[in-house]
Each structure stands twice: as C-alpha cells, then as structure tokens.
C-alpha cells in the first residue's frame, strides 16, 4: 500500500508552506529556524546588508558620553556600532553608567552582552510609539540629553516625540541598509519558478529591495508577512498583498502570526 502523504499536525502547522526569510545573517537564522520547527520549508535569502557609515560623528559623541543622560537603542545594529566605538575610545566606564531606553528584546539582549546596565525603559510595545508612551510618563525626561545612534534612514518619530517632551536628542546615523544584489537575484529566481508561498519582510528597506528584485507582475501577487505597521504600510504601498501583519514586534509574535494566517487550512 502506498504511503499516505504527510499532513500538517499541531506541532508542524506550516508543513508544505514555502517561506523566504529576507533578514540577513544572525537576525534571519532564528526566524528561519523557528519556522522550520513549525514545518515550513524555508529559504534564507537576505535582501539587504548593513553598511557602516563614517563613524567620526559617533566617535565625537562618545567622546562626550558623560554629557548624555540617556542612550536610545532601537536595533541590534545600533548596539553593535555603538559598542565598537565605545571600545575603540575606551569609554566602557562612562557607558556603564548611562541610562538606556531600549526597543525590543533582541536589542536588550545585545546591550546586555556588551555588559551595559539593564534598560531603564523597555516598553512592552516594541515600537517608537511604545517608547514615547513609556518616556512620557517619567519625570526625568524634560531637559535630559539623549544620544540616538541609528540608521541613516531612521524615521524621526522617536527623536521628534522626545523633543516635544522637552528632551535634547542628538541623532547620529552610524549605518545604513543597502540592497544585496545576490539575495535579490536568488529571490527573483525562486519566485519565477513558483517555489515561494510567502516572503517575510522586517523593514521598509526590505520591501524596497524585494520590489526592486521582481518584475511588477510577480510583485503584485506575492504574499508577504510583515512585522509591525510601518513595514506593512510600505508593503501595501508597493503593491504586495499583505497576508500577515504581526502586531507583536518580536520573533515569537511574528511566527505565531504566520502560523495563524498560513497554518493548517492556510497551508493547503
């Protein structure tokens, strides 16, 4: 008797779903692994790469680190670049006494690995609005000096919101997200051959890179799984069908949203 085809189970609800994970390197692998545990066939195809900018402005800010009451950290990349400059300048002692406002568990874990103090503010809502809400309730924000190392294209929501609360925020771009041509070529080939059911995108820059990689006729019918409303909005504007929009800005929340949208009946 011929063997019956495998069917999705409660432990592998994404069996048969083919997903392209577009996060790069260490950021993408945990998501890919979590989706594989759920039964998905996963292709790791980074569409963007991180490029370090001229770090002279960040060196200058770290030279004056003692002047800052707060350090704002909204990504692992920001932690990595700040840590590099702190080490190069021998500013570990000053950094150890700065108050940290951190967005996201991954960012907090990266800061902890650097040996910095535990975050003073880490909102449950791991987005800029969550940070602003948490800071607005404090009495030590007005007049405080804050350092915000960030991406070149970072939105102004957080620094502008904190300035409205009376803080003095110094924004220092340290890196940028650039398209990865090799990843773009690979995802284009996978989509054209019909091997992808869903693509994960974690930032507007990934949406832009995905759009650049695909002919318009493919982009208009390729479902995407977005983390957060900003990325989902960018995907919709670009013309991608947004099948998943994770309200929880964590990997676990993202995976759960994908399972809810695509698992069992969604996978068939």
């Amino acid at each position: 008797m011929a063997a019956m085809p495998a069917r999705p189970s409660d432990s592998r609800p994404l069996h048969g779903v083919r997903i392209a994970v577009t996060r790069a390197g260490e950021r993408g692998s945990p998501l890919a692994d979590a989706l594989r545990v759920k039964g998905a066939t996963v292709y790791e195809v980074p569409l963007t790469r991180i490029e370090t900018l001229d770090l002279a402005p960040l060196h200058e800010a770290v030279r004056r680190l003692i002047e800052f009451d707060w350090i704002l950290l909204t990504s692992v990349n920001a932690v990595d670049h700040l840590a590099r400059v702190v080490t190069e300048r021998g500013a570990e002692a000053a950094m150890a006494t700065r108050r940290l406002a951190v967005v996201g568990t991954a960012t907090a874990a990266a800061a902890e690995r650097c040996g910095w103090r535990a975050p003073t503010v880490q909102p449950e809502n791991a987005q800029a609005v969550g940070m602003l809400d948490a800071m607005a309730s404090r009495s030590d924000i007005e007049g405080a000096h804050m350092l915000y190392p960030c991406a070149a294209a970072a939105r102004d929501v957080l620094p502008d919101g904190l300035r409205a609360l009376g803080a003095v925020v110094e924004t220092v771009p340290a890196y940028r997200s650039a398209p990865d041509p090799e990843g773009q070529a690979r995802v284009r080939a996978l989509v054209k051959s019909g091997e992808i059911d869903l693509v994960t995108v974690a930032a507007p820059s990934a949406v832009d890179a995905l759009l650049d990689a695909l002919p318009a006729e493919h982009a208009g019918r390729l479902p995407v799984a977005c983390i957060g409303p900003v990325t989902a909005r960018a995907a919709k504007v670009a013309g991608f069908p947004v099948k998943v929009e994770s309200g929880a800005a964590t990997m676990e929340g993202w995976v759960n949203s994908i399972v809810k949208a695509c698992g069992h009946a969604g996978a068939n």
Side-chain angles (χ1 to χ4, degrees), residues 23 27 75-76 79 102-113 122 249:
R23 271 186 165 181
R27 301 298 309 280
S75 74
V76 173
V79 173
V102 175
V103 170
T105 54
T107 306
E112 182 180 1
R113 288 194 295 272
Q122 184 182 345

Side-chain angles (χ1 to χ4, degrees), residues 88-109:
E88 289 175 356
R89 297 204 65 89
E92 291 88 351
M95 187 65 202
T97 61
R98 300 305 92 193
R99 280 172 283 179
L100 303 183
V102 175
V103 170
T105 54
T107 306

Side-chain angles (χ1 to χ4, degrees), residues 101-147:
V102 175
V103 170
T105 54
T107 306
E112 182 180 1
R113 288 194 295 272
C114 294
W116 301 339
R117 66 187 290 183
T120 301
V121 172
Q122 184 182 345
E124 289 186 14
N125 178 358
Q127 298 171 11
V129 65
M131 174 75 79
L132 289 174
D133 288 345
M135 299 292 259
S137 65
R138 299 182 61 89
S139 60
D140 56 356
I141 301 305
E142 187 173 1
H145 286 243
M146 302 181 178
L147 174 61

